Amino acid sequence: DMKIFIAGSMSFAKEIIETKELLKGFESDFAPDTHDCYNNPNLKLNEDLEHCERTDIMRACMNVQKDCDAILLLNYPKDGVDGYIGTHCLIELGLAYYLGQKIFLLYPPPSQEKARYYVEVMHMKPIILNGDINKIKNIIKA
């Protein structure tokens, strides 16, 4: 059975949790602190080095992700950027690519003009779902 790692900016913790419900029939998981971020929206992980060091959240995420077969990145628009991919998500995509996982992006990445990493992301040959999470079910059978 294919296991999917659900990734995304922690501003979308609620959507990440809801996506796990949408993917019933598939085994899926997400970052260990997703519920913390959902319950405490003021947690700004990208600004809180102390939290990151205390929890070693980056390694904790990688340990969850490495046991999966695919990554689904919920790259909703953020900060005025369509297809936003934050720095931690970029690292997760790199790990997915290295591990040979299938890579799904909910939306196309930002254009090359908006994001220097456009070429690297497209080189990873992501499957772009164009906003429809259910397309995943047609691509991989539970």
Side-chain angles (χ1 to χ4, degrees):
D1 273 6
M2 178 148 304
K3 184 173 182 182
I4 303 168
F5 182 73
I6 305 165
S9 160
M10 278 302 141
S11 328
F12 306 123
K14 178 177 184 274
E15 290 81 356
I16 291 170
I17 294 165
E18 288 170 349
T19 297
K20 187 171 170 64
E21 289 301 305
L22 280 178
L23 291 175
K24 280 229 183 301
F26 288 99
E27 199 182 341
S28 63
D29 210 343
F30 44 64
D33 59 347
T34 305
H35 284 284
D36 297 336
C37 294
Y38 174 65
N39 294 327
N40 179 6
N42 297 325
L43 250 189
K44 294 252 187 289
L45 298 186
N46 56 332
E47 296 164 15
D48 193 348
L49 185 59
E50 186 275 326
H51 168 83
C52 293
E53 288 177 344
R54 180 171 38 81
T55 59
D56 197 4
I57 192 59
M58 209 182 230
R59 188 177 320 277
C61 288
M62 288 174 169
N63 282 330
V64 172
Q65 183 181 346
K66 77 174 169 32
D67 294 328
C68 295
D69 308 291
I71 184 171
L72 166 58
L73 178 55
L74 303 182
N75 59 330
Y76 293 103
K78 182 180 171 187
D79 299 336
V81 178
D82 286 340
Y84 176 88
I85 299 174
T87 46
H88 187 76
C89 290
L90 199 54
I91 290 169
E92 291 170 326
L93 288 177
L95 180 60
Y97 180 73
Y98 173 74
L99 294 173
Q101 297 174 341
K102 263 193 187 318
I103 297 172
F104 295 96
L105 298 181
L106 187 55
Y107 295 102
S111 66
Q112 203 165 353
E113 293 73 42
K114 291 221 167 107
R116 301 177 46 185
Y117 53 73
Y118 174 85
V119 170
E120 287 85 350
V121 170
M122 292 312 287
H123 170 74
M124 296 180 204
K125 302 278 185 264
I127 298 162
I128 298 170
L129 301 174
N130 291 312
D132 184 1
I133 290 170
N134 287 312
K135 280 186 186 167
I136 232 174
K137 296 171 182 172
N138 304 328
I139 297 165
I140 44 180
K141 303 293 174 229

